[in-house]
Amino acid sequence: MSQKITSYQGREITPDEVKEGKYLDIVYKFEPKYSWAAGVAISRFLTELKDGKIVARKCYKCERILVPPRMYCEQCYRPTDEWVQVKDTGTVNTFSISHVGTDARRLKTPILVAVVDIDGASPGMGILHNLGEVERSKISVGMKVQAVWKGSEERQGAITDIRYFKPI
Amino acid sequence: MWNATNSDAVTIFPRKSYSKQFIADFPDGFLPFQIGIVGVGYAGFDSMTPGLSTRELMFEAATRAYEDAGVDPRKDVQSFVCCTEDFWEGISITDEYMPDQLGAVLRPLCTISSDGIIGLATACMHIMSGIADVAVVESHSKISDVVNPDEIASFGYDPIYTHHHFDADPRFLAGMEMARYLKETGTKREYCAQVAVKNKKNALSNSRGVHGADIDKGIVMNSQIAASPLTELESSKGIDASIVFVLASAQKARKLGDQTVWIKGIGWSSDTPVVEDRDFARSEYVEQAAGRAYKMANVKSPASYFDLAEVDDTYSYKELQSLEAMKLASKGKAGKMVDTGSFDADGRLPVNASGGSLGVGHLLEATGLHRTLEAVMQLRGQAGRLQVPRAKKALVQSWRGIPTATGAVAVLGN
């Protein structure tokens, strides 16, 4: 079927022609809707965030403390055993400064994305979040940070109850 | 930190080689096929499971399956297969969310976006090829997480020339199939209703049954019309569950215990997506899938071969159509046989003794695994009040639902 095309006949269809209905143009807004059950682990995690706390689950077998919490240890393959409160401080494991929005637009204010390994959880256990109150050039792997919380009135039991992590 | 134990990652499990004569004697060149179902587990079977996330539901089911099989997923399983669809999950590339709760982190896992019986077939291939000795298949429905499932089903119609004509419930396709089936086979309308009566009654004896009821044909036919001639009580309703199977090579299965159920043949087939071009009266894809499974299992006379069958009954007429496609009833005779009790739980061939999808509930891509689960419980003699006496051979079959034309069939034996 393929052939070497050296020139194309015709001309481009203009947006106005499409608007006028001159060509078949199907626009359909697909709107699936979900009401996901958060489950035992994440429900408790979010409820505790509302109270300004970060909680984790501990596996007695490998003794890891898992953040975000899970009701099962994926490595030992057994149920986790205990709720543990961890700190709201941590260390930047890695980060990236995103200059492009989801619609491919260049962002005037870049988004500072980081994984923060949480103090009190096992090494490598972290929360993916934003950084704030920091100059872009000053961000580094290994930087110590702390959660900046919304006021208790504003918190709704969401990961965004933490506004961002700032350097300490 | 935890260390991956990948000592088995390079193991190839040698398979018996067959003599040329042995292969030549076997019908249509299929190799003798025997894969063991060595463990089953499930969780859910409720209209809603708001207390558990999908992943937590899967963990419960998988834990039970591994306990049942006596295997450790972190050491003993070389392939994990999940059957699910992104749109039903509400997460794109949803396969990436499957490993943890199955014990499959840093292990070979793939997702099949199709019915669970096709997942079983995939696991069989992994075992037959020697890359796995033990394989796991999971599928689930968390339909209670989906607010507008009709939107998703409708979006399965061709986007350019089918989808946008009709702002109608997608079941209009089922109504059209049913109308053509009734016309061409001369099946009486009320026989379809009897399928719903039978299956909903059977489900009352099934602890997994959500939609069991003791009703008569009149109530079924007078229930609200969904898409004529199909009524609401002839349409199965979605429920939540996760089902997990542990499969093993024949050699391994013999080591793992004495309640193995064998997969003796398996087939699957898809018709054209051009709905206009399909044969509305017949399920040709089921004919094909059954033909292959029968050849593999050397089933010569299906109508007298099986002790029970769990077949597609997403809609009432589908059970009749499927029975005829798989030659468990002659063309146009399935309805009469349902009406006279041949397919009752205590009839000549119990069909959907579990209650099927109409009585238990529909499980999206896990529907095929549900039928297999019910058949495995029967062949193990663990079906409780549903038990079919002396059950040794079972047939299971699934359809992927509207607007698909994909069916899968498996022949099981103990």
Side-chain angles (χ1 to χ4, degrees):
Chain A
M1 288 221 308
S2 66
Q3 51 181 270
K4 226 174 201 169
I5 296 169
T6 50
S7 66
Y8 293 94
Q9 292 188 340
R11 57 180 181 77
E12 278 183 39
I13 293 170
T14 66
D16 283 341
E17 286 172 333
V18 174
K19 265 184 218 161
E20 287 160 18
K22 201 169 169 187
Y23 300 101
L24 173 67
D25 176 43
I26 292 167
V27 178
Y28 179 74
K29 199 174 172 196
F30 178 49
E31 289 184 297
K33 295 191 181 85
Y34 303 92
S35 57
W36 296 285
V40 180
I42 296 299
S43 296
R44 171 83 180 258
F45 177 65
L46 296 175
T47 306
E48 298 277 0
L49 286 177
K50 197 172 180 182
D51 290 338
K53 294 176 199 160
I54 300 173
V55 293
R57 286 288 290 182
K58 184 171 181 177
C59 170
Y60 284 172
K61 191 173 176 199
C62 64
E63 300 191 329
R64 290 183 314 150
I65 293 172
L66 282 63
V67 168
R70 278 144 273 175
M71 298 314 288
Y72 43 84
C73 174
E74 83 284 6
Q75 291 177 359
C76 303
Y77 201 69
R78 59 188 292 283
T80 50
D81 302 281
E82 186 186 355
W83 290 100
V84 181
Q85 188 179 339
V86 291
K87 295 185 176 163
D88 71 347
T89 56
T91 309
V92 172
N93 177 316
T94 186
F95 70 97
S96 182
I97 299 166
S98 176
H99 292 266
V100 187
T102 46
D103 57 356
R105 169 175 57 91
R106 300 296 300 178
L107 295 171
K108 280 186 188 143
T109 314
I111 297 169
L112 316 176
V113 189
V115 169
V116 176
D117 288 352
I118 297 293
D119 291 338
S122 293
M125 286 284 156
I127 292 178
L128 177 66
H129 220 294
N130 299 294
L131 298 177
E133 296 182 44
V134 60
E135 274 181 50
R136 274 183 263 161
S137 60
K138 299 274 170 63
I139 303 172
S140 62
V141 168
M143 188 171 76
K144 293 294 292 176
V145 291
Q146 179 163 28
V148 175
W149 296 82
K150 285 182 179 169
S152 56
E153 303 284 290
E154 266 185 278
R155 294 199 288 258
Q156 53 167 182
I159 191 68
T160 47
D161 288 351
I162 296 173
R163 285 188 202 280
Y164 50 79
F165 285 81
K166 68 167 189 184
I168 47 173
Chain B
M1 287 294 283
W2 172 84
N3 291 309
T5 50
N6 277 337
S7 56
D8 59 352
V10 291
T11 308
I12 298 292
F13 301 94
R15 294 284 168 257
K16 187 179 162 189
S17 54
Y18 300 99
S19 72
K20 278 184 183 167
Q21 188 56 49
F22 189 77
I23 292 167
D25 287 346
F26 217 78
D28 294 302
F30 281 119
L31 283 173
F33 186 89
Q34 220 179 19
I35 301 286
I37 295 174
V38 295
V40 290
Y42 62 87
F45 284 98
D46 269 313
S47 294
M48 300 181 82
T49 46
L52 294 175
S53 67
T54 304
R55 288 167 239 171
E56 288 166 353
L57 187 73
M58 288 170 68
F59 177 75
E60 280 193 8
T63 309
R64 290 169 184 158
Y66 300 148
E67 171 64 22
D68 188 47
V71 298
D72 176 350
R74 307 299 294 141
K75 294 187 188 132
D76 304 328
V77 178
Q78 295 82 29
S79 170
F80 296 83
V81 180
C82 236
C83 305
T84 183
E85 282 277 349
D86 289 3
F87 283 142
W88 292 126
E89 304 285 328
I91 308 178
S92 61
I93 323 170
T94 194
D95 21 339
E96 294 301 311
Y97 287 86
M98 299 300 134
D100 295 26
Q101 59 274 22
L102 296 176
V105 168
L106 292 174
R107 313 281 294 175
L109 177 142
C110 66
T111 289
I112 305 283
S113 57
S114 195
D115 177 79
I117 292 177
I118 296 169
L120 291 176
T122 305
C124 287
M125 291 189 278
H126 291 175
I127 292 171
M128 292 292 276
S129 68
I131 60 166
D133 217 17
V134 178
V136 164
V137 181
E138 191 275 348
S139 187
H140 56 269
S141 159
K142 197 73 157 77
I143 192 73
S144 67
D145 277 2
V146 185
V147 175
N148 55 351
D150 283 356
E151 171 80 350
I152 293 169
S154 292
F155 204 56
Y157 284 112
D158 185 283
I160 295 172
Y161 68 87
T162 309
H163 185 196
H164 306 283
H165 292 316
F166 311 108
D167 190 15
D169 180 297
R171 286 177 294 178
F172 65 80
L173 188 64
M176 293 195 297
E177 277 192 355
M178 184 173 174
R180 184 79 201 184
Y181 170 79
L182 291 175
K183 174 79 180 163
E184 220 167 276
T185 60
T187 299
K188 282 189 191 165
R189 168 69 187 85
E190 64 181 84
Y191 294 163
C192 294
Q194 182 58 29
V195 172
V197 170
K198 167 177 74 73
N199 294 359
K200 284 177 175 291
K201 181 133 195 288
N202 289 346
L204 289 172
S205 302
N206 189 345
S207 57
R208 291 173 287 279
V210 175
H211 291 283
D214 190 2
I215 49 177
D216 60 29
K217 283 187 275 192
I219 291 178
V220 173
M221 284 196 290
N222 290 321
S223 67
Q224 283 183 311
I225 293 172
S228 78
L230 188 76
T231 65
E232 283 295 342
L233 283 173
E234 290 175 300
S235 306
S236 57
K237 309 295 176 204
I239 59 166
D240 291 356
S242 166
I243 305 168
V244 176
F245 278 83
V246 183
L247 270 54
S249 64
Q251 206 180 4
K252 182 76 177 175
R254 288 192 185 99
K255 285 186 196 155
L256 281 172
D258 54 5
Q259 54 179 12
T260 301
V261 168
W262 301 97
I263 301 177
K264 296 188 166 179
I266 197 158
W268 64 102
S269 180
S270 294
D271 204 343
T272 173
V274 182
V275 295
E276 298 91 326
D277 288 3
R278 294 177 191 162
D279 185 332
F280 281 91
R282 282 164 64 206
S283 294
E284 285 184 279
Y285 46 95
V286 178
E287 290 173 15
Q288 291 268 328
R292 285 168 163 268
Y294 291 164
K295 277 179 186 169
M296 224 179 263
N298 211 3
V299 176
K300 298 274 178 11
S301 313
S304 57
Y305 184 88
F306 296 102
D307 300 313
L308 67 114
E310 291 285 326
V311 310
D312 182 62
D313 66 331
T314 302
Y315 306 111
S316 59
Y317 73 94
K318 272 287 179 191
E319 179 170 306
L320 305 179
Q321 216 180 33
S322 304
L323 289 170
E324 290 169 16
M326 294 189 290
K327 299 188 166 56
L328 300 181
S330 333
K331 184 139 191 183
K333 296 285 188 284
K336 179 82 179 163
M337 288 172 77
V338 165
D339 204 53
T340 53
S342 297
F343 299 130
D344 282 356
D346 58 357
R348 192 176 62 71
L349 174 67
V351 172
N352 291 329
S354 66
S357 297
L358 285 166
V360 174
H362 194 270
L363 287 167
L364 304 176
E365 302 289 25
T367 298
L369 291 192
H370 169 227
R371 302 193 198 291
T372 312
L373 166 71
E374 300 288 358
V376 166
M377 300 308 269
Q378 290 282 1
L379 296 178
R380 281 181 171 187
Q382 295 174 344
R385 287 170 65 198
L386 303 168
Q387 187 64 50
V388 172
R390 296 174 297 283
K392 292 192 182 315
K393 296 166 192 162
L395 180 67
V396 294
Q397 177 256 329
S398 62
W399 168 56
R400 287 190 71 204
I402 283 174
T404 81
T406 292
V409 172
V411 175
L412 309 177
N414 59 9

